[in-house]
């Protein structure tokens, strides 16, 4: 913690499928002096990606969703956004993107719009990305880790399941593993959840 300037952390150890030790260290909120406990909630960041992937794969088992399905275009899961929102920077490559390309980070995008446009809602962010971010690589050709790919998978989960991302993942994935005390972190400090540490 000292070496990497980590203000707080929580550790839990399992053995033979039971919790044998748990302890918090440091601060959950340095400003207030709140200490981390084993009950402190931390964001799991990109660990959500395999959870999202599991949700997509579950939908391929329980709905008509296929990994080869197109994401955009007239028959795409998320629709023909280029026709609705005006010109797209590269409509041809955009309409080649499949669910599998999103899973594998091979959509062709190389820059992450999710880090640039916090003020846009989901639909606006998708349209903004299609209009302003080119795809230097043909979908399926080059791996580039881009968070926007999994943002799209979240919208596909909502569309295919008819539920919010959070509700579907809680019901179809996490609850099956006995994980029940979860929530999605808010975009601002005002939305901080119970026992959530300060970032």
């Amino acid at each position: 913690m000292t070496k990497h300037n980590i203000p707080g952390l929580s550790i839990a150890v399992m053995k033979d499928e039971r919790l044998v030790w748990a302890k918090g260290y440091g601060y959950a909120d340095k400003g207030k002096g709140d200490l981390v406990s084993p009950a402190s909630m931390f964001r799991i960041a990109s660990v959500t990606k395999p959870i999202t992937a599991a949700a997509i794969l579950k939908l391929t088992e329980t709905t008509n969703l296929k990994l080869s399905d197109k994401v955009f275009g007239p028959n795409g899961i998320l629709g023909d956004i280029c026709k609705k929102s005006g010109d797209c920077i590269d409509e041809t490559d955009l309409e080649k993107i499949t669910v599998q390309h999103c899973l594998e980070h091979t959509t062709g995008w190389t820059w992450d719009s999710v880090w640039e446009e916090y003020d846009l809602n989901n639909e606006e962010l998708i349209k903004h990305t299609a209009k302003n971010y080119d795809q230097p690589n043909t979908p399926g050709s080059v791996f580039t880790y881009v968070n926007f790919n999994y943002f799209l998978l979240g919208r596909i989960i909502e569309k295919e399941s008819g539920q919010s991302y959070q509700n579907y993942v809680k019901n179809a994935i996490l609850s099956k593993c006995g994980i029940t005390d979860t929530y999605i972190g808010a975009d601002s400090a005002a939305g901080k959840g119970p026992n959530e540490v300060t970032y």
Side-chain angles (χ1 to χ4, degrees):
M1 289 174 68
T2 302
K3 180 179 179 182
H4 296 289
N5 197 27
I6 297 169
L9 61 82
S10 180
I11 301 174
V13 178
M14 301 280 292
K15 181 166 178 14
D16 300 326
E17 298 186 28
R18 65 183 188 88
L19 180 67
V20 294
W21 183 79
K23 189 167 180 177
Y25 295 90
Y27 294 98
D29 186 327
K30 285 173 71 173
K32 294 180 180 175
D34 296 340
L35 298 175
V36 172
S37 78
S40 295
M41 297 288 277
F42 288 81
R43 296 187 183 202
I44 60 172
S46 287
V47 174
T48 58
K49 288 184 175 72
I51 295 170
T52 298
I56 287 287
L57 295 175
K58 183 69 172 173
L59 285 167
T60 66
E61 296 174 351
T62 59
T63 71
N64 292 323
L65 179 70
K66 295 183 287 306
L67 297 183
S68 59
D69 286 348
K70 298 282 197 263
V71 176
F72 299 111
N75 298 312
I77 299 165
L78 299 182
D80 195 6
I81 62 169
C82 295
K83 301 291 188 277
K84 294 176 184 171
S85 61
D87 60 331
C88 291
I89 200 163
D90 190 348
E91 184 174 350
T92 303
D93 276 346
L94 187 75
E95 292 185 2
K96 291 178 184 173
I97 296 171
T98 66
V99 175
Q100 186 159 350
H101 293 146
C102 292
L103 283 167
E104 296 175 344
H105 291 289
T106 58
T107 56
W109 280 298
T110 58
W111 185 250
D112 239 331
S113 58
V114 295
W115 300 121
E116 303 289 326
E117 305 297 337
Y118 288 110
D119 56 332
L120 301 179
N121 67 33
N122 292 342
E123 184 178 349
E124 291 168 341
L125 180 60
I126 292 170
K127 289 178 181 179
H128 175 81
T129 302
K131 189 169 187 172
N132 296 291
Y133 289 78
D134 68 338
Q135 293 164 266
N137 303 309
T138 302
S141 65
V142 177
F143 170 87
T144 306
Y145 187 92
V146 175
N147 288 289
F148 184 70
N149 299 327
Y150 274 71
F151 168 84
L152 290 175
L153 291 173
R155 308 300 64 81
I156 292 167
I157 288 166
E158 292 174 336
K159 182 92 173 188
E160 292 296 310
S161 71
Q163 300 177 49
S164 70
Y165 170 87
Q166 179 167 261
N167 286 345
Y168 182 77
V169 168
K170 277 184 169 185
N171 296 331
I173 307 298
L174 299 179
S175 68
K176 308 297 184 199
C177 303
I179 302 169
T180 57
D181 188 17
T182 62
Y183 54 86
I184 290 181
D187 292 335
S188 67
K192 184 176 163 183
N195 296 325
E196 185 178 352
V197 302
T198 299
Y199 297 90

